[in-house]
Amino acid sequence: MQERLQKLIAAAGLASRREAETWIQNGLVTVNGQVVDTLGAKADPEHDAIKVKGKLINPKLAQRKLVYYLLNKPKGYLSSLSDPEQRPLVTDLLPKGAPRVHPVGRLDFNTEGLLILTNDGALTNLVTKAGDHCPKVYHVKVKGTPGPAQLERLQRGITIDGEVHRIANLTPLEHTDHNNAWYELVLHEGKNNQIRRMFDAIGHSVLKLRRVAIGHLTDAGLPVGAVRELTPAEVQRFFSKRKIAPRVVAKKAAAQKTGKPRPVGEAKARQREGLATTIGRTAQSPAAPSQRLVRPAAKPATSGPGSPKSPRGSAPARPASRSRTLACRIVRDSV
């Protein structure tokens, strides 16, 4: 993946981006043996030989460990790696000795909420590019209460300085004691000061703004000012397609089954005891009229000289276990 040279130099830990830009302009950086002195030039460290002051930096880039932090940014911090005005930076909130990382996207100086910091360019590109693959959720408090026509205008999109700004979803949350309104907004794009400029356009300025979710990541359990490392599963989910959770699939499969489940354990033992009791009662009583008749067994052959002969009109003798067999068949057929 190609990245800007000043970003690669900074990722190798040699200098800040601003200092790397100065090195590039002074002709101290080469790519595949050619001097590159144009800012914005890109290279792929997996395929291009990048040298700074004659030294190859590819090994340093290959050895760097990818790290991912989730920060609940407070107000009064700048989403940048440096500031000429010496204002507090979001990197000041990271653990001591943390590798060099950059913020993924930006939050305004007076905006709080979730911010990812990493040295992984692939994740940065995936999270920041426009589209519905990684929605950002915000809670915003505005001055006064916009009317239905103003809210509809926000939903349609507002053109500001020739650029269209859109909100993917807008939901009212609650009203404060001073008749100010809270809303939950979902954005699929991230333009500079987008939310503040849109509400200014309808005459209701933003009083408070915080980002509460980035894709599948939320601020649950992460107080303002706190930071934590993302788990490998949380990182991987950004790169994998969403699938139905196994528990949902199991519920759907269970809903499609018909009939009662087969008993097991104690339930199965109780069923056997009840069946034995029923068989005993049925063996001692005649079959009910509603029960299905059982075809009598075939008569034994009488052609042999030693075969017993029964008197005319009398039924042949039945075996002693005939009644129990009949009862079992009746119980089986009636169940």
Side-chain angles (χ1 to χ4, degrees):
M1 178 180 175
Q2 287 194 337
E3 297 182 69
R4 288 177 295 173
L5 285 174
Q6 59 265 40
K7 183 178 177 180
L8 292 172
I9 295 171
L14 301 179
S16 66
R17 291 193 190 183
R18 292 185 182 275
E19 189 175 0
E21 290 174 354
T22 303
W23 290 354
I24 294 172
Q25 291 175 325
N26 292 338
L28 300 177
V29 180
T30 63
V31 177
N32 298 326
Q34 301 294 323
V35 175
V36 178
D37 55 5
T38 304
L39 294 181
K42 295 182 178 182
D44 186 347
E46 294 186 2
H47 301 92
D48 300 322
I50 307 169
K51 290 185 178 181
V52 178
K53 300 180 181 179
K55 294 184 179 181
L56 193 68
I57 69 170
N58 294 67
K60 291 182 178 293
L61 293 173
Q63 294 173 1
R64 64 174 174 169
K65 177 185 176 183
L66 297 179
V67 293
Y68 310 86
Y69 294 106
L70 182 65
L71 168 68
N72 196 341
K73 173 189 168 305
K75 293 173 60 176
Y77 282 81
L78 195 67
S79 299
S80 179
L81 298 180
S82 60
D83 180 41
E85 301 178 20
Q86 301 299 316
R87 288 174 293 180
L89 305 175
V90 291
T91 51
D92 298 337
L93 299 171
L94 296 179
K96 211 168 188 179
R100 185 180 181 86
V101 293
H102 59 265
V104 178
R106 292 180 182 272
L107 286 179
D108 300 335
F109 186 74
N110 290 321
T111 299
E112 65 182 37
L114 296 184
L115 183 68
I116 298 175
L117 295 102
T118 182
N119 54 3
D120 187 350
L123 180 69
T124 302
N125 182 58
L126 186 115
V127 173
T128 55
K129 68 181 181 181
D132 59 358
H133 62 285
C134 186
K136 287 82 174 175
V137 184
Y138 298 81
H139 286 177
V140 54
K141 177 184 177 182
V142 299
K143 187 174 183 180
T145 304
Q150 294 170 310
L151 296 178
E152 184 181 355
R153 185 183 173 196
L154 288 176
Q155 294 276 31
R156 290 198 312 264
I158 297 178
T159 301
I160 303 174
D161 296 335
E163 189 177 23
V164 180
H165 297 258
R166 290 188 176 87
I167 294 176
N169 191 39
L170 175 66
T171 306
L173 291 179
E174 61 182 16
H175 288 76
T176 66
D177 296 336
H178 303 288
N179 199 31
N180 298 322
W182 277 95
Y183 295 94
E184 181 178 273
L185 282 72
V186 180
L187 297 184
H188 290 165
E189 55 189 8
K191 297 175 181 177
N192 187 33
N193 289 323
Q194 178 174 351
I195 296 176
R196 297 182 185 275
R197 297 174 71 187
M198 291 184 73
F199 276 97
D200 284 342
I202 64 171
H204 294 270
S205 58
V206 171
L207 301 177
K208 290 183 180 180
L209 180 61
R210 60 174 177 259
R211 182 156 63 192
V212 298
I214 303 175
H216 56 278
L217 302 176
T218 69
D219 61 354
L222 190 66
V224 176
V227 61
R228 70 173 179 86
E229 285 195 56
L230 296 181
T231 65
E234 289 174 326
V235 175
Q236 184 59 34
R237 188 168 175 182
F238 280 107
F239 297 94
S240 61
K241 295 182 179 179
R242 292 178 176 269
K243 297 180 181 180
I244 300 177
R247 61 180 180 275
V248 177
V249 176
K251 287 181 180 179
K252 287 186 176 181
Q256 294 173 356
K257 292 183 179 180
T258 59
K260 297 181 180 180
R262 298 183 63 180
V264 294
E266 295 183 3
K268 188 172 184 179
R270 288 195 299 269
Q271 186 190 57
R272 286 179 175 177
E273 292 177 1
L275 182 59
T277 304
T278 304
I279 292 175
R281 289 199 304 266
T282 309
Q284 298 175 2
S285 59
S290 59
Q291 295 170 341
R292 193 177 68 175
L293 295 179
V294 180
R295 181 178 298 176
K299 294 180 180 181
T302 57
S303 56
S307 301
K309 294 185 180 180
S310 59
R312 180 175 295 181
S314 63
R318 295 181 178 177
S321 60
R322 177 69 173 174
S323 60
R324 181 171 295 275
T325 303
L326 177 60
C328 291
R329 289 185 179 177
I330 292 172
V331 170
R332 184 191 61 190
D333 294 337
S334 62
V335 173

